[in-house]
Amino acid sequence: MTQTAKQQAPLLAAYLVVGEDALKRQAVIKRLRTRLAQAGDLEFNHDVFDGETCAGADVVSACDTLPFMSDVRLVEVSAVEKLKKADSEALVAYLANPSETTVLVLLSEKLAKNTRLYKAVAAVGKQAVIDCAPKARRELPKLVRDMAVGHGVVFSDKAARTLLDLVGEDTVALDAEIRKVALAHSGKDPVSDKEVSALVAPTAEPKPWEFVDAVSARDLPRALALLGRMTSVTPYSLLPQCSRRMRELLCAKALAERGGGPADLAKALKMPDWRVRNHLTWARSFSRQELHRALRLARDAERAMKSGAVPQDAFMAWLLQVIPR
């Protein structure tokens, strides 16, 4: 169904807008508000509830209220996954026979498909559940570049990745920072990673796997930059993850020498293909001796940590020996 066809389709009595992509959820509710505003003044026909604090009976009462100088009312309930059981059941009962003059919109980051509330909304119609699941991390650089075009600028791939490093995966925060960069950018050249770094303050803590990937790519500046912003992850946690990656790269190197490809590696490591898509490339940048040495040094660093050495110092010494300056 095309976007135009969707806009012309009759409104359902209820929708569940579910998924962790906050920007998608905002876009969906904005479209619904715009469409319903065409039927009458939403100021007198719009109620908003917070699922963490509201009573189900109050939501049902708002849904049963007749619209004033309009054909339809809009009732929104955010964070419905936080509704108490009795309040959720009140909505389930309402959805069995919903008002014909109200559109009830339930918003949630996560709501299991096997819950009674999810099933009750799904029964309203085929289009009642609107999926706002976030894109996979590997798809986010393209999403950032697409969002940038919407703000009138072009981001280089490196600029998009730098923005993700600094801001994280929250699409609302990404959109806000892209808008800020777009306003400051001049000229027709693409936005560069240096421009992003100068304009955007780091707000997101890097994920451990991002650091491990930087180590695997032998990108010391990136690894050090990520490590400097990791405040909740300890060397005791990072070192085993790095050691595991070194073993994976050894396996990748052995398979490559026998003519194996990514599919063979995924099967050998019992991982999905996307998890190992860069392993063969990374493995080529290390010799077997270097990978074995990295594992021996990791063993020594772990012993040093357990013997009283400062964990951060022991881990940094390991890092600088595995990917020297």
Side-chain angles (χ1 to χ4, degrees), residues 55-86:
D58 292 339
V59 176
V60 172
S61 177
C63 291
D64 287 336
T65 301
L66 290 174
F68 177 72
M69 298 182 66
S70 174
D71 295 330
V72 66
R73 286 177 54 79
L74 174 62
V75 177
E76 299 174 29
V77 186
S78 63
V80 295
E81 73 277 8
K82 297 180 180 179
L83 283 166
K84 296 181 178 63
K85 184 176 181 180

Side-chain angles (χ1 to χ4, degrees), residues 181-320:
V181 172
L183 289 172
H185 182 69
S186 61
K188 296 182 179 180
D189 292 335
V191 173
S192 69
D193 58 304
K194 291 181 180 179
E195 191 173 354
V196 170
S197 297
L199 292 170
V200 178
T203 56
E205 181 176 356
K207 303 289 194 302
W209 61 263
E210 294 178 272
F211 172 79
V212 176
D213 282 356
V215 173
S216 303
R218 306 194 77 157
D219 188 343
L220 183 61
R222 175 170 166 77
L224 291 173
L226 294 172
L227 187 62
R229 291 170 37 221
M230 299 175 77
T231 58
S232 64
V233 182
T234 68
Y236 292 107
S237 171
L238 280 177
L239 187 60
Q241 295 181 60
C242 291
S243 297
R244 183 163 55 249
R245 177 60 60 80
M246 295 298 110
R247 288 192 290 270
E248 291 170 6
L249 296 185
L250 268 173
C251 182
K253 200 163 192 68
L255 274 173
E257 290 170 355
R258 296 200 296 268
D264 302 305
L265 181 60
K267 183 177 180 181
L269 294 177
K270 298 180 180 179
M271 293 180 176
D273 291 351
W274 63 268
R275 286 274 302 275
V276 300
R277 68 185 183 281
N278 292 318
H279 278 47
L280 292 172
T281 300
W282 289 332
R284 283 194 289 270
S285 70
F286 289 91
S287 67
R288 277 178 174 270
Q289 292 75 18
E290 286 175 322
L291 290 170
H292 282 295
R293 180 170 178 266
L295 288 171
R296 289 196 300 271
L297 290 171
R299 175 202 61 197
D300 295 342
E302 184 178 5
R303 286 177 177 171
M305 289 186 216
K306 293 179 178 178
S307 300
V310 177
Q312 288 79 4
D313 292 347
F315 183 74
M316 184 62 72
W318 175 84
L319 177 63
L320 294 176

Side-chain angles (χ1 to χ4, degrees), residues 27-276:
V28 170
I29 196 64
K30 183 179 179 180
R31 287 198 300 270
L32 280 170
R33 288 173 182 169
T34 300
R35 183 172 176 185
L36 290 173
Q38 296 171 358
D41 192 343
L42 274 186
E43 184 177 352
F44 299 105
N45 298 285
H46 185 196
D47 291 291
V48 179
F49 296 92
D50 182 347
E52 189 170 13
T53 58
C54 72
D58 292 339
V59 176
V60 172
S61 177
C63 291
D64 287 336
T65 301
L66 290 174
F68 177 72
M69 298 182 66
S70 174
D71 295 330
V72 66
R73 286 177 54 79
L74 174 62
V75 177
E76 299 174 29
V77 186
S78 63
V80 295
E81 73 277 8
K82 297 180 180 179
L83 283 166
K84 296 181 178 63
K85 184 176 181 180
D87 300 315
S88 178
E89 285 300 313
L91 297 188
V92 171
Y94 166 78
L95 289 167
N97 185 26
S99 169
E100 295 180 357
T101 57
T102 294
V103 174
L104 172 62
V105 182
L106 308 178
L107 298 110
S108 175
E109 288 189 5
K110 293 181 180 180
L111 187 67
K113 294 182 179 180
N114 61 355
T115 59
R116 283 171 52 80
L117 184 55
Y118 188 105
K119 292 178 180 178
V121 180
V124 170
K126 291 183 179 179
Q127 306 299 324
V129 177
I130 301 174
D131 184 9
C132 293
K135 290 186 177 294
R137 174 70 189 212
R138 63 185 180 278
E139 300 175 299
L140 287 177
K142 181 180 183 304
L143 176 64
V144 168
R145 295 197 301 274
D146 291 344
M147 292 165 67
V149 171
H151 288 289
V153 293
V154 175
F155 268 47
S156 69
D157 183 68
K158 196 168 184 180
R161 295 180 184 278
T162 299
L163 184 66
L164 287 164
D165 285 345
L166 295 172
V167 180
E169 301 177 13
D170 186 307
T171 49
V172 172
L174 287 169
D175 188 65
E177 294 299 337
I178 291 170
R179 184 184 299 111
K180 181 172 72 177
V181 172
L183 289 172
H185 182 69
S186 61
K188 296 182 179 180
D189 292 335
V191 173
S192 69
D193 58 304
K194 291 181 180 179
E195 191 173 354
V196 170
S197 297
L199 292 170
V200 178
T203 56
E205 181 176 356
K207 303 289 194 302
W209 61 263
E210 294 178 272
F211 172 79
V212 176
D213 282 356
V215 173
S216 303
R218 306 194 77 157
D219 188 343
L220 183 61
R222 175 170 166 77
L224 291 173
L226 294 172
L227 187 62
R229 291 170 37 221
M230 299 175 77
T231 58
S232 64
V233 182
T234 68
Y236 292 107
S237 171
L238 280 177
L239 187 60
Q241 295 181 60
C242 291
S243 297
R244 183 163 55 249
R245 177 60 60 80
M246 295 298 110
R247 288 192 290 270
E248 291 170 6
L249 296 185
L250 268 173
C251 182
K253 200 163 192 68
L255 274 173
E257 290 170 355
R258 296 200 296 268
D264 302 305
L265 181 60
K267 183 177 180 181
L269 294 177
K270 298 180 180 179
M271 293 180 176
D273 291 351
W274 63 268
R275 286 274 302 275
V276 300

